[in-house]
Amino acid sequence: MSEQGPGPEIDTTVSHVARIWNYWLGGKDNYPVDREVGDQILGMLPDVARLARASRLFLNRVVWHMAAEAGIRQFIDIGTGLPTVDNTHEVAQRAAPESRIVYVDNDPLVLAHAQALLTSTPEGVTAYIDADLREPEHILEGAAKTLDFTRPIGLTLMGILEFITDDDEAYSIVRRLLDALPSGSYFAMYDGTNVVHREASDRIVEVWNASGNAGLVLRSPEQIERFFAGLELLEPGVVSVTRWRPEVTVGEPPEAVDAFGGLGRKP
């Protein structure tokens, strides 16, 4: 089920973050303008494609931990992006078929593909809300139609807070969302940094912000850790997404990418 208005039309003349990300992940839901900007960024930093894949695997690992190990059966995925392999509901319902997932995005192309996100096991539920991260109360009101806010919820904000360029606003949004969640809930997020490829990452932000996309800002790992204030941050803390509990580690730890994140539990 979905909660949506008519929504804006899809503009194929301006690149868009969800479609560029889809292109980097090998998807087909993108347009020439997206591939042009995507290729321009890849030319400056080929590691971006690996970052995109590593970030997706991080989402899979934290959702699996919440569902399979922490017993979470309800999820809010804000900044969903375009459907791809192993979406949140697929990972969660593989661990616990009765899991209920609410997806949230405000991209008209994501909205157009929402039906692909609304598949579910018979025991579980998936829902979609067309909403902006800057309106957390609207998101919470919509999610309450599907989820029970007296029981723990897993909240994910993957690569979306970097588009809230004002730090105070970004921290306020997260606090308002977390304040509404009950004890025992979990919060997972990652965002972009420039600690691995400093000059190239900074240049990419310049290109991105000049391309017609929503502006973005890179934050330090210390700034990212502030989003977890008041939570019990699980080991290994805020690290490059490739190094958050990698499935296989032989010898040296996986090479870091400029996306840092973590998982925290609300006491």
Side-chain angles (χ1 to χ4, degrees), residues 46-123:
D47 198 46
V48 165
R50 190 170 73 89
L51 182 153
R53 293 189 294 269
S55 300
R56 191 71 190 182
L57 291 172
F58 170 72
L59 167 66
N60 295 164
R61 294 198 299 277
V62 296
V63 170
W64 180 261
H65 175 89
M66 286 188 279
E69 299 181 41
I72 298 298
R73 298 293 180 264
Q74 307 185 106
F75 297 84
I76 304 175
D77 180 334
I78 304 178
T80 301
L82 290 164
T84 182
V85 177
D86 272 351
N87 300 292
T88 296
H89 74 280
E90 294 170 314
V91 176
Q93 292 182 346
R94 193 154 58 235
E98 69 274 23
S99 296
R100 304 171 74 87
I101 294 87
V102 173
Y103 289 108
V104 183
D105 210 303
N106 69 337
D107 181 341
L109 187 61
V110 177
L111 181 61
H113 286 261
Q115 221 36 57
L117 292 168
L118 300 181
T119 58
S120 174
T121 58
E123 304 95 324

Side-chain angles (χ1 to χ4, degrees), residues 5-264:
E9 293 184 0
I10 297 169
D11 187 350
T12 63
T13 66
V14 178
S15 59
H16 194 284
V17 56
R19 301 193 308 249
I20 295 173
W21 205 257
N22 175 265
Y23 171 54
W24 287 336
L25 288 171
K28 298 180 180 179
D29 296 312
N30 48 75
Y31 297 96
V33 66
D34 306 308
R35 297 190 285 275
E36 180 181 345
V37 174
D39 285 340
Q40 185 179 1
I41 291 172
L42 284 171
M44 292 185 289
L45 183 59
D47 198 46
V48 165
R50 190 170 73 89
L51 182 153
R53 293 189 294 269
S55 300
R56 191 71 190 182
L57 291 172
F58 170 72
L59 167 66
N60 295 164
R61 294 198 299 277
V62 296
V63 170
W64 180 261
H65 175 89
M66 286 188 279
E69 299 181 41
I72 298 298
R73 298 293 180 264
Q74 307 185 106
F75 297 84
I76 304 175
D77 180 334
I78 304 178
T80 301
L82 290 164
T84 182
V85 177
D86 272 351
N87 300 292
T88 296
H89 74 280
E90 294 170 314
V91 176
Q93 292 182 346
R94 193 154 58 235
E98 69 274 23
S99 296
R100 304 171 74 87
I101 294 87
V102 173
Y103 289 108
V104 183
D105 210 303
N106 69 337
D107 181 341
L109 187 61
V110 177
L111 181 61
H113 286 261
Q115 221 36 57
L117 292 168
L118 300 181
T119 58
S120 174
T121 58
E123 304 95 324
V125 175
T126 59
Y128 183 92
I129 302 172
D130 180 20
D132 193 299
L133 175 59
R134 292 177 174 84
E135 302 173 341
E137 285 75 22
H138 175 58
I139 292 172
L140 293 165
E141 180 183 354
K145 297 176 182 178
T146 301
L147 308 181
D148 177 359
F149 274 71
T150 67
R151 296 174 53 234
I153 292 171
L155 170 67
T156 65
L157 291 169
M158 300 297 181
I160 184 174
L161 285 165
E162 60 194 23
F163 295 103
I164 308 295
T165 56
D166 181 89
D167 288 345
D168 289 341
E169 183 182 10
Y171 292 125
S172 172
I173 288 169
V174 171
R175 182 52 45 203
R176 285 146 68 191
L177 289 167
L178 291 175
D179 283 348
L181 303 185
S183 174
S185 293
Y186 282 77
F187 171 53
M189 61 84 66
Y190 78 80
D191 259 335
T193 69
N194 66 351
V195 299
V196 180
H197 301 286
R198 186 171 300 279
E199 291 184 6
S201 293
D202 289 341
R203 177 59 183 147
I204 285 171
V205 171
E206 293 178 11
V207 171
W208 188 278
N209 289 346
S211 67
N213 285 285
L216 69 83
V217 63
L218 300 179
R219 292 189 171 97
S220 68
E222 292 76 21
Q223 288 175 306
I224 292 173
E225 187 168 340
R226 278 187 58 193
F227 287 111
F228 295 92
L231 303 183
E232 299 166 353
L233 191 59
L234 277 65
E235 292 294 336
V238 170
V239 294
S240 176
V241 293
T242 56
R243 296 180 175 179
W244 197 91
R245 305 191 181 187
E247 293 180 357
V248 179
T249 301
V250 178
E252 295 296 318
E255 186 178 351
V257 296
D258 265 323
F260 277 57
L263 176 65

